[in-house]
Amino acid sequence: MIKGSLQNQLFLVMIIAMLPVFTVHEITVIASEIRTANEHTASDTRATASSAIPMLKSALIVGDLATAQETLDNIMRHGQFRSLRLLDQSGMNILAEGKVAANSVAESPPDWFVSWLDFRFGSQAFPVVAGGVNYGSLVAEPSSLFLVSDIWKQIWTALITWVASLIFFVTLLRITLRRGLRPLEDLAATAHRFGEGDLQSRATVSKVPELAETAIAFNKMAESLTDAQGKLEGRVSQAMNELDSLINRIPAGVYKLRMLADGGMRFDFVSPRWCELLEVQAEEVYRDVNVAISRLHPDEIEMFVKQNELVRKNVIPFHWEGRLRTGMRVRWLHIESTPTLLSNGDILWEGIQYDITATKEREEELNHIARYDILTDLPNRSLLTDRLQQAMAQTSRRGNKLALVYLDLDGFKAVNDNCGHDAGDQLLIAVSKRMKHTLREGDTLARIGGDEFVAVLIDLPENEACVPMLTRLLDAATEQVACTACNLKVSASLGVTFYPQMQEITSERLLLQADQAMYRAKLAGKSRYCFFEDAACEPGKPQGQSTVFDFC
């Protein structure tokens, strides 16, 4: 760690410090060479021009331009000049120009360097005058190739020297730091191992006082952290054991369901009680989440899946109550969970589920008690009202008839007075069963009072179609009932009304009409039926007396 950080930083500092020194030194040297070259080049150019002008005068006086050209070419061969031109008196026309000779520099710099440096000396003009007559001028531009080549060599030499110096100093620094940083590197390596989880790692105490104190302090810290971790792990283990014990004791099942960002699902955790409620093994649901869903009642699965999709889309708490598959010990299950949206897009649902079969059965029992007569198990007045209203609506849609029959047992009070209430209850149970069996499926027989019953006869093509059923009801009511103490026999008075009528009518009004018709039947002699819309009543089969007691 130290080797890759502190040493590298020291090396980088050394390079950064040496580079400006090298650059400034080279710039100073090159600038000095350029000044010297300028001075020497100007002096050399003047000397060369002084020696060439006499020959050029002679050639120009006699008009021998070939000799002038040859003179310029000879000077250009030495490579001292970039260009030599002999101009006429106006300075506009070139009389002769020296040919550029081949590169005479032994080690020429690369073209890119020459192009990049782009250094040129200034041109100098020397007049060619003889006897006071101006024959023209010699324009000389010294070549900078020698100077560029020297600069190139200077840079390479300095670069090699700098690299060699850098290697030397780096090697020297490395050797020096190796011994000094080794204890620090050992301490860093120990700290790294400790951070990776090797809590038994301890630092070696160095002979260097400062590092020795650091190592001792680190070892003390490591001991403290190791002890603290041991205590923490003990507390965590105890807490986990207590949590597992609690999860196993509570009647609810605990689970964690992960809805993956790609649309999949998997269980991260299911408690033993959770598995017990669904009669599955944990390994099964860990492999396939559909194993748990398959335990739901087939009629519940579609709604369960839709609710799952809804809460997944909106990330809201999940609440569900429903039935499990037929044949399982648990019939009804309650599930609730809370979502947590994770950074990777997954949704983690943490929830519970528990058995609500007893609660649902009690609800069903209470609902049954609220809507059915406790003694006869026939619909009571509340359920009768619902069924009558449904039957009236159905009759209106289908365009047929409905008969509402109000039935009161004749002589029932005498049964209670002479044979006791237990015998009266037995009579009510027996008579209600017989009358119910005389009706069709879809018809309703309800007990609304002590000895009062109401029958709803539906799907009648005409009002008269109910007469056979009325007769059967009278027969069922008058049939003798065997009792422990006596044989019981009663009759019944029936009041009948129909729906629909000429005017709109409510179910309560319809029931009142049937009640009034029943009282007419009683006034007419009992054991008969009477229609509400008729003034006369139709007698039933001849019964003799309305109530007969045949005591044993």
Side-chain angles (χ1 to χ4, degrees):
M1 182 182 300
I2 299 299
K3 187 179 296 184
S5 59
L6 183 56
Q7 286 186 1
N8 290 343
Q9 291 176 14
L10 291 174
F11 296 155
L12 183 61
V13 168
M14 181 179 292
I15 293 172
I16 294 175
M18 293 181 64
L19 187 59
V21 174
F22 163 76
T23 304
V24 170
H25 176 266
E26 286 306 304
I27 292 175
T28 303
V29 171
I30 292 172
S32 176
E33 288 189 1
I34 292 174
R35 286 195 300 271
T36 303
N38 275 326
E39 295 173 358
H40 291 174
T41 300
S43 176
D44 293 343
T45 301
R46 287 193 296 271
T48 302
S50 299
S51 62
I53 285 177
M55 291 183 287
L56 293 174
K57 286 181 182 179
S58 302
L60 289 175
I61 291 171
V62 297
D64 185 4
L65 293 178
T67 301
Q69 181 67 48
E70 184 179 357
T71 301
L72 296 180
D73 291 341
N74 289 334
I75 296 173
M76 289 291 290
R77 287 191 186 95
H78 299 290
Q80 183 180 355
F81 293 95
R82 179 183 179 87
S83 66
L84 281 175
R85 292 175 295 170
L86 182 60
L87 305 180
D88 62 5
Q89 294 90 334
S90 65
M92 302 296 294
N93 300 314
I94 300 174
L95 301 177
E97 184 175 7
K99 296 180 180 179
V100 179
N103 189 3
S104 60
V105 179
E107 296 182 5
S108 299
D111 293 339
W112 66 265
F113 182 75
V114 175
S115 175
W116 173 77
L117 193 59
D118 192 25
F119 181 79
R120 297 177 66 172
F121 289 111
S123 299
Q124 298 183 54
F126 301 95
V128 180
V129 179
V133 179
N134 182 11
Y135 289 95
S137 60
L138 175 64
V139 180
E141 180 184 353
S143 174
S144 62
L145 189 58
F146 291 98
L147 178 59
V148 173
S149 179
D150 289 342
I151 293 174
W152 174 256
K153 291 177 183 178
Q154 177 65 32
I155 291 175
W156 265 108
T157 302
L159 182 61
I160 293 172
T161 302
W162 179 76
V163 171
S165 301
L166 181 63
I167 293 173
F168 172 77
F169 285 114
V170 167
T171 303
L172 182 62
L173 180 62
R174 187 180 184 86
I175 294 172
T176 303
L177 292 178
R178 182 175 299 173
R179 294 178 59 86
L181 293 180
R182 181 171 298 169
L184 193 56
E185 291 176 356
D186 292 342
L187 179 59
T190 303
H192 181 74
R193 291 194 302 271
F194 191 85
E196 292 292 325
D198 183 6
L199 301 183
Q200 303 305 318
S201 295
R202 296 295 182 270
T204 303
V205 179
S206 171
K207 295 180 180 180
V208 180
E210 293 82 358
L211 295 180
E213 291 179 4
T214 304
I216 293 172
F218 174 83
N219 291 339
K220 288 181 179 179
M221 179 193 68
E223 292 291 344
S224 299
L225 289 176
T226 303
D227 292 343
Q229 187 191 38
K231 294 177 181 178
L232 180 60
E233 288 178 350
R235 289 197 293 269
V236 170
S237 177
Q238 181 181 359
M240 291 298 296
N241 292 335
E242 292 175 355
L243 178 61
D244 290 341
S245 176
L246 176 62
I247 289 175
N248 292 331
R249 288 199 306 269
I250 62 176
V254 181
Y255 72 94
K256 287 186 178 182
L257 175 67
R258 183 182 296 268
M259 289 185 174
L260 305 176
D262 60 7
M265 291 189 296
R266 74 164 186 263
F267 282 101
D268 287 355
F269 172 77
V270 290
S271 69
R273 177 58 178 163
W274 188 93
C275 296
E276 181 182 348
L277 290 171
L278 292 180
E279 300 179 20
V280 296
Q281 298 296 323
E283 294 76 12
E284 294 178 314
V285 295
Y286 286 148
R287 287 195 304 267
D288 185 5
V289 69
N290 291 317
V291 172
I293 297 178
S294 68
R295 294 301 191 270
L296 304 182
H297 193 281
D299 295 342
E300 303 280 359
I301 292 179
E302 182 179 358
M303 185 59 65
F304 181 85
V305 172
K306 286 183 178 179
Q307 191 166 347
N308 260 283
E309 292 299 325
L310 175 65
V311 299
R312 178 176 193 159
K313 180 180 179 181
N314 298 287
V315 193
I316 57 177
F318 176 77
H319 296 275
W320 181 84
E321 288 185 356
R323 295 168 294 163
L324 297 186
R325 206 169 55 191
T326 304
M328 296 181 64
R329 292 188 298 273
V330 177
R331 291 178 49 227
W332 285 85
L333 198 67
H334 175 92
I335 303 175
E336 60 182 72
S337 60
T338 303
T340 301
L341 182 60
L342 305 181
S343 58
N344 62 353
D346 294 351
I347 304 176
L348 183 63
W349 296 86
E350 299 171 301
I352 59 173
Q353 64 182 30
Y354 49 88
D355 182 10
I356 58 170
T357 302
T359 302
K360 287 294 183 180
E361 289 176 348
R362 182 58 180 164
E363 288 178 0
E364 292 174 0
E365 181 181 351
L366 293 175
N367 182 63
H368 189 82
I369 292 173
R371 299 176 70 83
Y372 287 85
D373 178 57
I374 297 177
L375 179 63
T376 62
D377 203 35
L378 292 177
N380 61 14
R381 183 181 291 271
S382 174
L383 183 55
L384 170 66
T385 301
D386 291 344
R387 289 191 178 180
L388 178 56
Q389 291 174 349
Q390 293 174 8
M392 292 171 67
Q394 176 180 308
T395 298
S396 298
R397 289 195 304 269
R398 294 181 178 179
N400 47 27
K401 305 291 185 179
L402 174 152
L404 183 66
V405 183
Y406 202 109
L407 186 151
D408 183 84
L409 297 181
D410 304 323
F412 179 73
K413 183 177 182 301
V415 173
N416 277 338
D417 294 342
N418 295 304
C419 298
H421 288 283
D422 289 343
D425 289 346
Q426 294 180 28
L427 175 66
L428 290 174
I429 293 171
V431 171
S432 64
K433 286 182 179 179
R434 291 172 184 171
M435 290 192 298
K436 184 177 181 180
H437 288 158
T438 66
L439 302 182
R440 303 163 300 168
E441 184 178 359
D443 294 338
T444 296
L445 178 65
R447 182 190 178 203
I448 62 172
D451 61 348
E452 295 180 337
F453 298 84
V454 173
V456 181
L457 311 179
I458 63 173
D459 292 337
L460 300 176
E462 55 188 12
N463 293 348
E464 291 76 9
C466 71
V467 172
M469 286 177 277
L470 299 176
T471 303
R472 289 197 298 270
L473 284 172
L474 289 173
D475 291 342
T478 58
E479 187 175 346
Q480 183 173 283
V481 176
C483 180
T484 304
C486 57
N487 291 325
L488 309 177
K489 189 172 183 181
V490 296
S491 65
S493 297
L494 280 63
V496 184
T497 188
F498 297 97
Y499 180 85
Q501 299 181 7
M502 295 296 294
Q503 296 180 347
E504 289 293 329
I505 188 171
T506 64
S507 60
E508 292 83 1
R509 181 64 182 169
L510 203 64
L511 192 61
L512 181 61
Q513 289 179 356
D515 185 24
Q516 293 174 355
M518 182 271 296
Y519 276 105
R520 291 182 187 174
K522 282 188 176 294
L523 294 175
K526 303 180 181 179
S527 188
R528 66 189 65 234
Y529 58 83
C530 180
F531 296 110
F532 174 77
E533 62 268 27
D534 295 336
C537 297
E538 296 292 337
K541 293 181 179 180
Q543 300 293 334
Q545 292 182 339
S546 62
T547 305
V548 177
F549 298 94
D550 186 8
F551 295 98
C552 300

